[in-house]
Each structure stands twice: as structure tokens, then as C-alpha cells.
């Protein structure tokens, strides 16, 4: 499990809305796939760090993401070009449960089981009653962005 995250199964959550607090941009390292790292280096310059075998976006001195801008609300300066982990957060989708049988997180699609978790530490969790509307879109997005993880199972 990722340090700093408190993942709960989607069945334990009533919904989510981004409240533009920027907490996710301040608390977590943004890990990148190797292809993303190359892309961001080419497009934005020296904004990628390679550490312990993984690629990450650099942080500002205050610890926030290099692309976070705050003017009362958090704004990603590369929102339409943001990394795949940022596009899917606070959701975390896996082909195997984090613990136990994963019944609180199981989601069936095309005869396959996926396990959908939500970071309960995100302040936008439970600010809406829309989890059933969000799930299909989140899973489709995950399947598109993390195709490699879906086909490994």
C-alpha cells in the first residue's frame, strides 16, 4: 500500500468531487511511467527526477508539485497534459485486491474482476452522492491509461 494513502473499497464511499484543495499535489510524489518521464522531459525540460529505480515529477521547495499553482484554489498548470496517476486520483484500480477477498472493492467488467479503491484521505471523498455514476468512467479511464496493468493479469 502506498504511504500516506488510506484506501477503502468503493462500496464504502458515497461519492467524490474534486474540491480543488491541492492536497494531493502537496502530499504525494507523482510517479511516472518511463514513457511519461521522457515525454515530460522533452516537453517541459528538467522536471523529472529518477530515484531508486522510478521516475517522479520534481517538487517545489515547499514540497508541492512543480506544476501546482494556487490562487485561492489549486490549479494544475498542465491540467490537460497531467500524468496518468493524477488523472485517476483519488481512485486506485487493481487487478488483485489490496487485502482479503476485496469484496468492498470488486467491480465486474466484461467478465473480469477489478478492484476499485478510493483514498479516503482526499477531502473531496463523500462530498457527493455519485459513486455509481463515477465508477464506469473511472474504470474505463484506468483501462485506457493503465492498459499494461490490465493485460498483465
Amino acid at each position: 500500500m502506498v504511504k500516506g494513502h488510506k484506501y477503502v473499497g468503493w462500496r464504502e464511499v458515497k461519492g467524490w468531487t474534486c474540491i480543488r484543495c491541492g492536497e494531493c499535489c502537496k502530499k504525494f510524489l507523482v510517479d511516472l511511467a518511463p514513457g511519461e518521464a521522457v515525454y515530460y522531459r522533452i516537453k517541459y525540460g528538467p522536471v523529472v527526477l529518477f530515484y531508486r529505480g522510478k521516475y517522479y515529477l520534481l517538487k517545489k521547495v515547499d514540497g508541492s508539485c512543480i506544476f501546482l499553482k494556487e490562487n485561492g484554489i489549486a490549479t494544475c498548470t498542465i491540467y490537460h497534459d497531467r500524468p496518468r496517476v493524477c488523472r485517476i486520483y483519488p481512485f486506485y484500480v487493481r487487478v488483485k485486491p489490496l487485502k482479503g477477498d476485496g469484496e468492498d472493492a470488486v467491480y465486474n467488467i466484461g467478465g473480469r474482476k477489478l478492484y476499485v479503491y478510493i483514498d479516503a484521505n482526499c477531502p473531496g471523498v463523500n462530498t457527493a452522492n455519485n459513486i455509481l455514476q463515477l465508477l464506469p468512467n473511472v474504470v474505463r479511464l484506468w483501462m485506457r491509461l493503465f492498459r499494461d496493468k490490465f493485460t498483465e493479469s
Side-chain angles (χ1 to χ4, degrees):
M1 201 172 304
V2 181
K3 188 177 180 182
H5 296 284
K6 182 183 174 189
Y7 289 119
V8 297
W10 71 267
R11 294 175 195 273
E12 296 179 32
V13 172
K14 67 178 185 175
W16 171 78
T17 300
C18 180
I19 60 170
R20 308 232 359 228
C21 64
E23 289 301 307
C24 52
C25 307
K26 297 171 192 169
K27 289 183 179 178
F28 306 117
L29 286 172
V30 176
D31 62 318
L32 303 170
E36 285 181 305
V38 170
Y39 173 79
Y40 289 113
R41 278 185 179 155
I42 290 169
K43 185 159 184 182
Y44 300 105
V47 298
V48 175
L49 169 73
F50 185 73
Y51 179 70
R52 293 188 179 181
K54 288 186 155 188
Y55 295 96
Y56 301 93
L57 281 182
L58 287 177
K59 294 268 198 178
K60 296 181 207 170
V61 176
D62 69 2
S64 65
C65 176
I66 196 165
F67 295 111
L68 176 64
K69 179 180 164 189
E70 291 186 282
N71 290 334
I73 59 168
T75 303
C76 177
T77 60
I78 62 164
Y79 181 81
H80 294 290
D81 202 24
R82 67 196 186 282
R84 63 188 191 166
V85 295
C86 300
R87 291 175 187 266
I88 203 90
Y89 186 83
F91 295 89
Y92 183 51
V93 183
R94 297 177 42 95
V95 294
K96 295 180 181 171
L98 284 174
K99 59 185 186 270
D101 62 8
E103 283 305 308
D104 62 335
V106 71
Y107 183 83
N108 293 300
I109 184 163
R112 294 191 63 183
K113 287 183 179 181
L114 290 176
Y115 299 88
V116 182
Y117 298 91
I118 300 163
D119 187 353
N121 287 334
C122 171
V125 171
N126 288 325
T127 58
N129 192 14
N130 61 353
I131 194 66
L132 293 177
Q133 292 78 30
L134 289 174
L135 274 174
N137 295 326
V138 167
V139 169
R140 277 194 298 272
L141 178 62
W142 179 84
M143 289 172 64
R144 186 170 50 85
L145 295 174
F146 295 88
R147 209 175 358 257
D148 53 327
K149 306 271 189 236
F150 189 64
T151 56
E152 286 174 5
S153 64

